[in-house]
Amino acid sequence: MLATKDVKQLISEHEFLRGMDPKHIATMSEFAKLKVVHENEYMFRIGEEADCCYLIRDGCIAIEVRHPSRGPVTIQTLGANKVVGWSWLTEPYKWQFDGRALALTRGVCLDSKQLREACEKDHEFGYQLLSRFVPVIADRLEATRIQLLDLYAP
Amino acid sequence: MNSPIADPMLPRPFRIQSVRKETTDTFTFELAHPEEGSQNGFEPGQFNMLYVFGVGEVAISISGDSAEPGKLIHTTRAVGTVTQAMARLKPGQVIGVRGPYGRGWPIDDMQGQDIVVVTGGIGLAPLRPLLYRVLANRGRFGRVVLLYGARTPNDILYKKELERWRGRFDMEVLITVDRSTGGWRGHVGVVTQLISGAPFDPYHATAFICGPEIMMKYSVDALTKRGLPSERVYVSMERNMKCAVGFCGHCQYGPKFVCKDGPVFPFTEVKRLLDIWEV
Amino acid sequence: MEHRAGIEWSAQTSYVARADFNALIDALLNHGYIVVGPTIRDGAIVFGEVQSDRDFPVGATDVQDGGKYRIGEHTAPTLFSFAASPHSLKTYLYPSRSLLYSAHGSSGNFAVDAPAPQTPARYAFIGVRSCDLHAMNLQDKVFLEGAYVDPGYKHRRENAFLIAVNCGKPAGTCFCVSMGTGPKAPPLFDLALTEICDDSGHYFVVECGSAQGSAILACVPHRPAEATELHAAQEVVRGAERAMGRKLDTTDIKELLYRNAESPRWEKVADRCLSCANCTMVCPTCFCSTVEDTTDLTGAHAERWRVWDSCFTIDFSHIHGGSVRKSGSSRYRHWITHKLASWQDQFGASGCVGCGRCVTWCPVGIDITEEIAILRQTETDHETLPEEQGNARD
């Protein structure tokens, strides 16, 4: 399936970018590439340069943090139609967590440096992109806050 | 209207048939009616008062199948004096039962609807009878979705049953845990996050929620965001309970008595109260 | 409620001379009743068993205010010149401790014991006030009129002989007129007395409310009351209406409390409230209870007791993970909101009968009427510019 569609089409179909102007889709497809992450493979590691924004088509990426005594602790999992990574949006542009595939995961990777440049060059594009990121960030912040409550604690 | 003069506070002795350990602190009793062949009919969502001899009594929701009223099934978390004493009981021993009490899930009124069950922790126990009822009458409902959140993978109830349900083609089971450290391959995140992607038609669905109050509140927010009106949401509330028949006053939740007006409420009946601190 | 029409007087009233009052007590005793009336004990006028008028607080009155109760001397040798006592009918009809059942066995097996054959007491109460009859009527709604009936309460209630007294001397904490619950006793009595002690003499105008009432009255020397005597009785009640020590504006009160659930005022009350539960113990409508389990030393005999409980205790709202109402402010809010607002949703009537006991017996004098007035005032304050406000309140 993946191979038969071109990157541009995959981007335009992704839920995260729904309603985006075709010319902006075209802009992004210039620096987009397909990316497959195999089960248990790390897609990114904490502290590495956040060089990519990843649109998941299918599969599952776990956001993990290494705990000295407990090993990796999964904080959140992200699956089909979700977007992974906004560390590239703010300095120092480094991943804040580990990202590991829990299953074979396929999607599209947008080059983050070029994304930033495109935003800088075309503020309308930047606005359209950020107005999609802000709800995602708000959503994850809310989820984190609920998680903090430790609802089912003894 | 009035029940006969029989004292509503008197328990009947039921024998424990089996005890199953569900998680480190949660266990399931199967109880047999004292009179052979007798039945203890109930509606999904109702609860019983269980009495441990000399220790005390506690309200526990019924988690068995209402189509098999000969078997009385309760899943309990050992967190207080009475429930910890219950956890020490063994098959063959006797426990006191009063009930069933309260208003259950209005599932029979929801024919043709998609059924969305959102639950967290031990909140799955009072919803299991609803799922049994729905699955036994599968053709009468639209899509059936179970969204279940637990603290960790070790805290998941009814694992075998969930596996079985997950294997069905006519039911969607999505499970998430708040945190995971081991070999868990499933979702991690709060249960409310499952709602946005769950396969149901928000315009033709009814949601049934049971879990901690904050979880229920945020679940309704997420359901509303999907387009499911809060008028089609039902929640099960928990309050301290001593009598279960409206005498003791303990279970008051604003103007509601959880024992007789609930434990299941249309969300709109309690919406105002869920927003106020320490009601 | 303030404007509710007063309770009508019976078409036929009787005259009983003060000198024949003992005949009334004797009639009740002869009918096998344990007679309970006002007596003085521990510095208060409380219900107790009586044999004759010698047990009554002759010539005594009470002085009540926020956090204050004193017995005083009345100007005449009356039997009923005082207001609500710390006791109410609740003390007898819904005892503070009662055995639910006993059981024998072990942790592995048990059986509930058959209840011991009862020879329950039949009580006759003399001096029940209008507020208390209303309160009894409210407790009936809880214990008799729901889907389940409390058999013990039902039994005690059905066997109670009630002699009301129309109040002539309300206390400083009384506000039954505001609540529409007095001072004229509602027709829930077997007999109702109005005591008159003036230049014309010392006597009672008696109304009859039941066949049992007539039967008892028949054993007491009496004659139809003269118009002047009935008029004197009506004046006693009218005088009491005018002498209310407090008032409470009930306009829109349910909504007032519901919309003020998060008022900062609750914190102010909580600063004073000791969570001592006195208000709930003396309240004639408060019905909350808890259960106590006991076992003997062998562990083979267990009992369950029902005891009065109070929503002011922390444990009251305990569920796993802790109490729901941890703060004093939430507990006071729960109590007053239940009393004046949610009672209406639950039972179709206010849970407050204006007896003022909670005001009198609060050790720090927290006053339900004052709190409502302040809530109202706080709301109007929000509609006024700060410079227009009067003196700042605490």
Side-chain angles (χ1 to χ4, degrees):
Chain A
M1 276 285 282
L2 199 60
T4 61
K5 291 189 178 179
D6 68 2
V7 170
K8 191 169 160 186
Q9 195 180 348
L10 289 173
I11 296 176
S12 65
E13 283 172 3
H14 198 274
E15 185 135 326
F16 178 67
L17 298 173
R18 186 189 290 169
M20 196 93 169
D21 192 317
K23 84 175 179 238
H24 294 145
I25 298 285
T27 306
M28 282 185 281
S29 57
E30 283 167 24
F31 44 79
K33 58 176 196 281
L34 301 180
K35 187 174 170 92
V36 174
V37 193
H38 294 280
E39 186 175 336
N40 281 332
E41 217 171 58
Y42 280 97
M43 188 187 152
F44 50 84
R45 301 300 295 261
I46 187 167
E48 286 177 359
E49 190 197 342
D51 55 358
C52 147
C53 168
Y54 189 53
L55 306 174
I56 302 178
R57 186 168 166 83
D58 53 36
C60 183
I61 299 288
I63 309 297
E64 296 177 347
V65 61
R66 268 166 291 180
H67 187 280
S69 62
R70 279 187 280 169
V73 177
T74 307
I75 300 163
Q76 189 179 30
T77 51
L78 297 165
N81 284 318
K82 299 285 181 197
V83 58
V84 178
W86 63 72
S87 297
W88 60 273
L89 272 168
T90 54
E91 283 188 278
Y93 311 125
K94 290 194 190 314
W95 291 109
Q96 303 296 311
F97 295 97
D98 294 335
R100 186 165 63 100
L102 292 185
L104 176 70
T105 304
R106 299 180 295 182
V108 176
C109 195
L110 304 170
D111 183 275
S112 59
K113 203 179 272 177
Q114 286 176 277
L115 262 180
R116 284 197 299 272
E117 281 167 14
C119 291
E120 198 56 55
K121 219 183 299 172
D122 179 354
H123 284 191
E124 173 58 21
F125 170 71
Y127 174 79
Q128 289 297 332
L129 194 66
L130 278 181
S131 64
R132 283 164 176 74
F133 260 108
V134 171
V136 169
I137 295 170
D139 197 50
R140 298 212 188 141
L141 177 61
E142 183 188 291
T144 309
R145 285 174 172 170
I146 302 174
Q147 221 161 346
L148 267 180
L149 294 170
D150 199 6
L151 294 175
Y152 319 113
Chain B
M1 179 172 86
N2 292 342
S3 65
I5 282 306
D7 194 322
M9 297 297 278
L10 289 183
R12 290 173 301 164
F14 277 57
R15 199 162 289 283
I16 299 169
Q17 298 284 92
S18 68
V19 182
R20 178 207 297 266
K21 198 167 162 63
E22 302 283 353
T23 71
T24 46
D25 60 357
T26 310
F27 55 95
T28 298
F29 277 161
E30 186 185 319
L31 307 173
H33 198 280
E35 295 130 43
E36 190 105 14
S38 280
Q39 303 196 326
N40 215 57
F42 69 94
E43 282 302 305
Q46 288 192 303
F47 66 95
N48 278 321
M49 296 299 284
L50 301 186
Y51 168 68
V52 181
F53 175 71
V55 181
E57 206 178 44
V58 66
I60 305 287
S61 64
I62 307 172
S63 50
D65 189 346
S66 56
E68 287 185 57
K71 275 198 286 188
L72 193 51
I73 292 176
H74 286 283
T75 296
T76 308
R77 188 169 168 195
V79 283
T81 319
V82 181
T83 49
Q84 278 162 4
M86 268 171 71
R88 289 190 290 271
L89 295 178
K90 293 179 178 58
Q93 296 191 312
V94 168
I95 194 162
V97 177
R98 291 194 288 132
Y101 294 117
R103 183 166 65 158
W105 306 104
I107 185 64
D108 296 337
D109 305 339
M110 303 307 161
Q111 303 208 1
Q113 295 264 305
D114 284 3
I115 302 300
V116 184
V117 170
V118 187
T119 169
I122 198 167
L124 180 57
L127 276 159
R128 191 166 71 161
L130 175 141
L131 288 163
Y132 287 144
R133 173 78 61 92
V134 168
L135 294 176
N137 301 278
R138 186 62 192 85
R140 293 190 203 155
F141 300 95
R143 279 168 284 192
V144 177
V145 181
L146 168 61
L147 311 178
Y148 177 42
R151 194 176 189 222
T152 72
N154 292 332
D155 297 310
I156 294 172
L157 290 185
Y158 309 141
K159 288 196 184 75
K160 285 210 175 103
E161 201 148 32
L162 288 170
E163 276 306 321
R164 207 159 53 236
W165 286 341
R166 221 212 290 251
R168 289 178 70 127
F169 294 110
D170 58 356
M171 178 180 185
E172 187 78 24
V173 178
L174 298 175
I175 302 172
T176 185
V177 296
D178 271 9
R179 67 208 65 185
S180 107
T181 50
W184 175 250
R185 315 297 290 176
H187 291 276
V188 177
V190 288
V191 67
T192 52
Q193 285 189 298
L194 297 176
I195 290 170
S196 66
F200 62 89
D201 173 3
Y203 304 101
H204 299 95
T206 301
F208 301 93
I209 315 180
C210 184
E213 274 168 47
I214 303 172
M215 174 231 130
M216 298 202 286
K217 194 171 132 51
Y218 283 109
S219 297
V220 178
D221 287 350
L223 288 163
T224 319
K225 226 168 164 179
R226 270 286 302 264
L228 193 151
S230 60
E231 288 74 25
R232 285 211 309 277
V233 177
Y234 294 84
V235 296
S236 182
M237 297 298 304
E238 184 190 5
R239 279 295 176 273
N240 184 302
M241 232 175 247
K242 297 294 182 199
C243 76
V245 292
F247 295 162
C248 80
H250 276 252
C251 70
Q252 285 179 81
Y253 182 51
K256 306 292 181 190
F257 285 88
V258 172
C259 72
K260 56 179 187 180
D261 302 324
V264 173
F265 292 95
F267 175 72
T268 46
E269 277 186 21
V270 294
K271 182 179 190 310
R272 175 183 74 86
L273 301 166
L274 278 168
D275 287 332
I276 304 170
W277 47 270
E278 296 185 31
V279 175
Chain C
M1 273 189 253
E2 192 105 25
H3 308 292
R4 213 176 70 163
I7 304 251
E8 294 290 318
W9 287 75
S10 305
Q12 290 185 323
T13 51
S14 304
Y15 168 100
V16 171
R18 162 68 181 88
D20 292 320
F21 184 72
N22 273 339
L24 175 63
I25 300 176
D26 290 341
L28 294 167
L29 292 170
N30 291 338
H31 277 75
Y33 287 105
I34 296 172
V35 183
V36 169
T39 61
I40 292 180
R41 198 173 75 220
D42 300 333
I45 300 170
V46 294
F47 274 138
E49 275 189 51
V50 293
Q51 304 296 325
S52 78
D53 60 4
R54 282 196 306 276
D55 298 319
F56 279 62
V58 177
T61 188
D62 53 15
V63 181
Q64 301 192 38
D65 202 348
K68 195 193 278 178
Y69 181 100
R70 302 277 181 279
I71 293 180
E73 257 181 58
H74 192 48
T75 47
T78 48
L79 300 185
F80 298 104
S81 289
F82 43 86
S85 96
H87 282 178
S88 63
L89 285 177
K90 174 172 107 168
T91 313
Y92 291 85
L93 298 183
Y94 169 42
S96 60
R97 285 184 70 80
S98 55
L99 180 67
L100 288 173
Y101 57 87
S102 64
H104 62 272
S106 64
S107 65
N109 198 354
F110 75 93
V112 174
D113 299 331
Q118 288 186 335
T119 42
R122 291 164 69 233
Y123 285 107
F125 300 95
I126 304 181
V128 180
R129 304 310 171 113
S130 179
C131 53
D132 289 340
L133 286 176
H134 280 278
M136 176 190 76
N137 196 36
L138 292 173
Q139 290 214 324
D140 286 357
K141 291 178 191 294
V142 178
F143 295 123
L144 302 179
E145 293 169 20
Y148 296 91
V149 168
D150 176 343
Y153 182 87
K154 183 177 161 71
H155 186 90
R156 290 184 292 272
R157 176 73 178 80
E158 283 172 350
N159 285 286
F161 188 94
L162 301 167
I163 302 182
V165 162
N166 289 319
C167 280
K169 197 176 173 306
T173 45
C174 286
F175 56 101
C176 64
V177 168
S178 296
M179 303 314 291
T181 50
K184 177 77 175 74
L188 295 166
F189 50 76
D190 294 296
L191 293 172
L193 315 179
T194 309
E195 183 177 28
I196 292 124
C197 186
D198 58 20
D199 300 341
S200 67
H202 191 177
Y203 59 93
F204 299 93
V205 169
V206 183
E207 291 170 277
C208 205
S210 70
Q212 295 103 292
S214 309
I216 293 291
L217 185 61
C219 307
V220 182
H222 68 284
R223 60 162 170 78
E226 308 274 351
T228 50
E229 289 154 358
L230 174 61
H231 180 74
Q234 288 167 337
E235 272 310 304
V236 165
V237 172
R238 272 198 283 273
E241 281 170 13
R242 289 191 294 269
M244 287 288 119
R246 276 171 167 66
K247 60 181 170 205
L248 190 153
D249 178 0
T250 59
T251 316
D252 205 18
I253 195 155
K254 189 172 95 176
E255 289 70 25
L256 175 81
L257 283 157
Y258 284 172
R259 68 175 176 259
N260 277 288
E262 296 186 298
S263 164
R265 180 65 200 173
W266 306 123
E267 290 296 332
K268 293 277 183 198
V269 193
D271 285 347
R272 298 164 63 207
C273 177
L274 309 174
S275 286
C276 71
N278 267 13
C279 51
T280 52
M281 297 295 111
V282 294
C283 177
T285 71
C286 270
F287 58 85
C288 289
S289 62
T290 187
V291 175
E292 285 177 6
D293 289 272
T294 60
T295 47
D296 65 4
L297 285 174
T298 67
H301 179 81
E303 290 181 348
R304 297 207 91 205
W305 287 80
R306 178 170 79 175
V307 298
W308 287 357
D309 200 2
S310 170
C311 54
F312 281 91
T313 68
I314 292 261
D315 280 350
F316 187 87
S317 62
H318 185 88
I319 51 177
H320 76 273
S323 290
V324 174
R325 290 186 282 276
K326 289 187 183 67
S327 65
S329 49
S330 73
R331 297 198 292 274
Y332 185 81
R333 178 190 65 191
H334 173 80
W335 178 76
I336 193 171
T337 306
H338 184 218
K339 203 87 332 200
L340 294 168
S342 28
W343 253 95
Q344 297 189 39
D345 283 332
Q346 294 170 348
F347 302 104
S350 170
C352 174
V353 294
C355 68
R357 287 179 173 95
C358 57
V359 185
T360 298
W361 297 98
C362 175
V364 295
I366 294 172
D367 182 338
I368 188 171
T369 65
E370 183 187 18
E371 291 308 321
I372 292 300
I374 289 173
L375 271 192
R376 284 191 193 286
Q377 185 57 43
T378 313
E379 283 197 334
T380 44
D381 282 356
H382 287 146
E383 294 156 12
T384 353
L385 293 172
E387 54 268 30
E388 292 174 50
Q389 286 177 7
N391 295 332
R393 283 179 306 275
D394 62 338

